[in-house]
Amino acid sequence: MSEAEAPKKRFIAGAVCPACSAQDTIRMWSLDDVPHRECVACGYADTLNAQGQSVPKELTTRVNASALKKPADPKVQPVQFFPNPKLKKPDGQA
Ligand SMILES: [Zn+2]
């Protein structure tokens, strides 16, 4: 009853943000025994699962899934049109 509702966020000294590589910008707190982290520099946030592995807060949504599934870059060489004066006769019809 005496415990505060709001989780205490404390900076982790020496922690490096996995997203922006900034140091000492990671705040960590526990919520329902689940460790949460966030970077105050870039807004990156994740949680740690039972295996202690980072789980990005940004869950895979359909939008993200489609974003990941971007169409394969068809590295098609643009067809180069070399204007051939021989094909266009100055006095000929278009
Ligand atoms: Zn960051």
Side-chain angles (χ1 to χ4, degrees):
M1 195 68 182
S2 62
E3 286 185 2
E5 290 279 332
K8 288 183 180 178
K9 298 181 181 182
R10 49 180 63 185
F11 284 94
I12 307 301
V16 176
C17 174
C20 71
S21 299
Q23 200 171 24
D24 296 337
T25 61
I26 298 292
R27 290 194 301 181
M28 202 165 185
W29 70 99
S30 284
L31 203 62
D32 294 332
D33 290 331
V34 177
H36 292 258
R37 296 189 302 181
E38 73 175 6
C39 173
V40 298
C42 70
Y44 173 85
D46 67 359
T47 64
L48 299 179
N49 63 13
Q51 285 76 37
Q53 293 175 320
S54 171
V55 180
K57 196 172 186 178
E58 186 176 308
L59 298 176
T60 302
T61 63
R62 271 172 287 182
V63 175
N64 288 343
S66 63
L68 290 173
K69 202 177 181 181
K70 52 185 174 183
D73 185 8
K75 293 181 179 175
V76 177
Q77 298 278 348
V79 179
Q80 291 185 331
F81 281 98
F82 293 99
N84 193 340
K86 291 181 179 175
L87 294 177
K88 272 189 179 179
K89 298 175 182 175
D91 57 336
Q93 297 170 352

